[in-house]
Amino acid sequence: MTARYVGIAAELRDAIMRGEYAVGAQLPSEAELAIRFAASRGTVRQAVAVLATEGLVGSRQGARRIVLGRERSQSFAELHSFAQWARAMGHRVSGRMLEQRRRGASATEAARLALQPGEPVLSVLRLRSLEGEPVLLERTVYAGWIAPAVERIDPGCESVTQALYEGVGLVFAYGEHLIDAVAAGVEDSRLLAVRRGSPLLRQRRVTTTHEGRPVEWSDDRYRAGSVTFSIRNSVDANPLVRQVGDLRSAP
Amino acid sequence: MTARYVGIAAELRDAIMRGEYAVGAQLPSEAELAIRFAASRGTVRQAVAVLATEGLVGSRQGARRIVLGRERSQSFAELHSFAQWARAMGHRVSGRMLEQRRRGASATEAARLALQPGEPVLSVLRLRSLEGEPVLLERTVYAGWIAPAVERIDPGCESVTQALYEGVGLVFAYGEHLIDAVAAGVEDSRLLAVRRGSPLLRQRRVTTTHEGRPVEWSDDRYRAGSVTFSIRNSVDANPLVRQVGDLRSAP
DNA sequence: GAGTGGTCTAGACCACGAA
DNA sequence: TCGTGGTCTAGACCACTCT
């Protein structure tokens, strides 16, 4: 059973995307919407809050809500999975595991994964392609407790996230991402088929379970021009944060 | 007067950052918090929702909320202003306007700013520094209707956002950001003092008013290593979206 | 089965924007 | 001044987790 406010949000979203409410135009008031959908004002507010986080509408106290855009800012249930994202977008995705070995955690890795330095981790190198072109090099370190499940995954498996969910019920629930640009190193340039020193988009991330237990710490490098990150924000809600310098030494 | 739920969120946030609730530990139930703060359950839920969007706590139906982290994911009232961000972080910031001229909008610019191609725009080139080091090159195109106000700004002004607010009451309310990596071009390398072709973090953005009216379209390039973007997300709320290829041709 | 968060209701008052 | 969204209350039922 889907929630009432989700359905209302969907109807309003469709109306906006059909152009029934033009960009820049006003949405009906909460009171009007409550009558139209035969719901309480609270439920209507939940619905428009969904549209607000999608960046479709904006609001100010005292004035009616405004339509800000028509493009659906696709909200992914798949938080981190490159494969699931690419498939949802209709791209042909492939990938292979190039290297996999157990070792002790470095100081940085231990800090990121809430382990002690030297505790066992599983280090994995994966190359992923879009439409047959290599676009992403993943250097992932998994906490020791999940290593056995990772090792059981087929090396040619498209979606590690999905495999871990189906295999052991693991859900990647929360993530923190650090995004910057780096020059391609020797290994990067060989595997991604770019020149040494050419620009790469780097995304470092920690992923945790619902309980906040860190699962993986990864350094993902995208070939320039292959992928763009997109973010919408407002004066009220701003998920994007700038930080100075690199964060290798942060706790 | 600050809202009740904001105060409750602040108290809980402080308790988390003091370590009163350890990372991985449970928060009290909504019912307990409602009693403790003498507030209704709805208000308590608003408070913990704040912490959830800050990435400090997570939740699942049926289970108590979990503390996910202790670092404050600083939420900036200043959405776009490099200067205001840098000052808030305690950095020494400076900048200068290098070039400024009126011209007609290109097809891309017109689409981004909701104008007709050829309509007048103001093109501005700015170089910004942190601790005296050049780190950011901004190529901004302002819609014609705001151009006079931009031209009145002092060339050495630190914060354009602030100047436009104080000058004509303009608020940069919403933004969409496209983040990728590019190689430094001739002008980039000269002004940022990096080698030609070296990696830059590029942030393209459209900024609009509360009414959804586009104000500026900017191509900002950060020297690699100078700035990192940080984002937190969860399976439920995912502000980050990947897109393939570049978006110069998108409407 | 008990406890918890997710949803929903029907009211109320207030701060703010627009006319 | 009036309409609007922002906040808050006090209830209710349900879906889910945990033990």
Side-chain angles (χ1 to χ4, degrees):
Chain A
M1 185 53 189
T2 78
R4 190 97 173 73
Y5 75 90
V6 174
I8 296 175
E11 281 201 43
L12 290 174
R13 190 187 300 111
D14 287 350
I16 289 170
M17 297 203 294
R18 272 199 314 271
E20 204 161 313
Y21 301 111
V23 173
Q26 295 181 337
L27 233 52
S29 73
E30 294 177 356
E32 286 178 67
L33 292 173
I35 293 168
R36 179 188 309 179
F37 292 105
S40 76
R41 196 182 147 212
T43 303
V44 168
R45 280 179 64 79
Q46 273 187 289
V48 294
V50 171
L51 302 184
T53 57
E54 289 174 356
L56 291 177
V57 306
S59 64
R60 260 193 312 174
Q61 188 173 73
R64 283 208 180 175
R65 290 191 169 76
I66 297 286
V67 177
L68 294 177
R70 294 181 59 170
E71 311 118 50
R72 181 204 293 276
S73 186
Q74 203 153 340
S75 95
F76 295 101
E78 353 76 59
L79 178 60
H80 315 279
S81 173
F82 179 76
Q84 286 177 38
W85 159 74
R87 281 202 295 244
M89 299 293 281
H91 295 290
R92 195 160 54 81
V93 62
S94 59
R96 58 197 166 100
M97 191 270 290
L98 300 178
E99 204 181 301
Q100 181 170 294
R101 64 192 186 86
R102 291 200 190 219
R103 55 176 174 76
S106 72
T108 308
E109 291 160 2
R112 291 291 179 188
L113 293 172
L115 302 172
Q116 295 302 315
E119 275 193 75
V121 295
L122 180 65
S123 168
V124 178
L125 181 68
R126 279 194 204 91
L127 181 65
R128 326 203 65 155
S129 303
L130 233 41
E131 332 296 357
E133 286 287 307
V135 298
L136 168 60
L137 189 60
E138 288 182 349
R139 293 185 179 86
T140 311
V141 177
Y142 294 91
W145 58 271
I146 194 64
V150 176
E151 287 169 333
R152 279 197 300 272
I153 296 174
D154 169 33
C157 172
E158 275 184 19
S159 175
V160 173
T161 306
Q162 195 179 329
L164 286 176
Y165 177 68
E166 290 167 359
V168 293
L170 182 72
V171 175
F172 287 35
Y174 305 103
E176 183 178 0
H177 307 257
L178 304 170
I179 296 173
D180 60 3
V182 294
V186 175
E187 193 178 45
D188 299 330
S189 62
R190 190 180 77 242
L191 294 170
L192 288 172
V194 297
R195 270 207 296 281
R196 183 103 201 284
S198 73
L200 300 176
L201 183 63
R202 177 168 69 166
Q203 173 192 19
R204 287 171 295 174
R205 60 169 205 268
V206 186
T207 314
T208 73
T209 65
H210 275 298
E211 292 76 29
R213 191 176 189 193
V215 179
E216 57 165 13
W217 162 241
S218 191
D219 178 314
D220 298 355
R221 298 177 184 204
Y222 294 87
R223 223 178 53 192
S226 66
V227 162
T228 302
F229 290 108
S230 164
I231 292 154
R232 296 179 111 105
N233 53 9
S234 78
V235 281
D236 303 317
N238 192 351
L240 182 63
V241 172
R242 270 177 290 214
Q243 293 179 319
V244 168
D246 79 35
L247 300 154
R248 260 163 290 210
S249 56
Chain B
M1 185 53 188
T2 80
R4 191 98 170 69
Y5 76 89
V6 174
I8 296 175
E11 280 202 43
L12 291 174
R13 189 189 300 112
D14 287 350
I16 290 170
M17 295 202 295
R18 273 199 312 271
E20 203 162 310
Y21 301 111
V23 173
Q26 296 181 334
L27 233 52
S29 72
E30 295 177 357
E32 287 178 68
L33 292 173
I35 293 167
R36 180 187 310 178
F37 292 106
S40 76
R41 196 181 147 213
T43 302
V44 168
R45 281 178 63 78
Q46 274 186 289
V48 294
V50 171
L51 302 184
T53 57
E54 289 175 356
L56 290 176
V57 306
S59 65
R60 260 192 314 171
Q61 187 173 76
R64 283 208 180 176
R65 290 191 168 74
I66 297 288
V67 177
L68 294 177
R70 294 182 59 171
E71 312 120 49
R72 180 203 295 272
S73 186
Q74 202 152 340
S75 94
F76 294 100
E78 353 77 60
L79 177 60
H80 315 276
S81 172
F82 179 77
Q84 287 177 38
W85 159 73
R87 281 201 294 243
M89 299 293 281
H91 296 290
R92 193 159 56 82
V93 62
S94 58
R96 57 195 167 103
M97 192 271 290
L98 300 178
E99 204 182 301
Q100 180 170 296
R101 65 192 186 87
R102 293 201 188 214
R103 55 176 174 76
S106 72
T108 307
E109 291 161 2
R112 292 292 179 188
L113 294 172
L115 301 173
Q116 296 302 315
E119 275 194 74
V121 296
L122 180 65
S123 167
V124 177
L125 180 68
R126 279 195 204 90
L127 180 66
R128 327 203 64 155
S129 303
L130 232 41
E131 334 293 359
E133 286 287 308
V135 298
L136 167 60
L137 190 58
E138 288 182 349
R139 292 184 182 88
T140 311
V141 177
Y142 294 90
W145 58 270
I146 193 66
V150 176
E151 287 169 334
R152 277 198 298 273
I153 297 173
D154 170 32
C157 173
E158 276 184 18
S159 174
V160 174
T161 306
Q162 195 178 332
L164 287 176
Y165 177 69
E166 291 168 358
V168 293
L170 182 72
V171 175
F172 287 37
Y174 305 104
E176 183 178 359
H177 307 257
L178 303 170
I179 296 174
D180 60 3
V182 294
V186 175
E187 192 178 47
D188 299 330
S189 62
R190 189 180 77 241
L191 293 171
L192 288 172
V194 297
R195 269 206 298 281
R196 181 98 204 287
S198 73
L200 300 177
L201 183 63
R202 177 169 69 165
Q203 174 193 19
R204 287 171 295 174
R205 60 171 204 268
V206 187
T207 313
T208 74
T209 65
H210 275 299
E211 291 76 29
R213 191 178 190 191
V215 180
E216 56 164 14
W217 161 242
S218 191
D219 178 314
D220 298 355
R221 299 178 183 203
Y222 293 88
R223 226 179 51 194
S226 66
V227 161
T228 301
F229 290 109
S230 164
I231 292 154
R232 298 179 109 106
N233 53 9
S234 78
V235 281
D236 302 316
N238 192 350
L240 183 63
V241 172
R242 271 177 290 213
Q243 293 179 319
V244 168
D246 78 33
L247 299 156
R248 258 163 292 209
S249 57

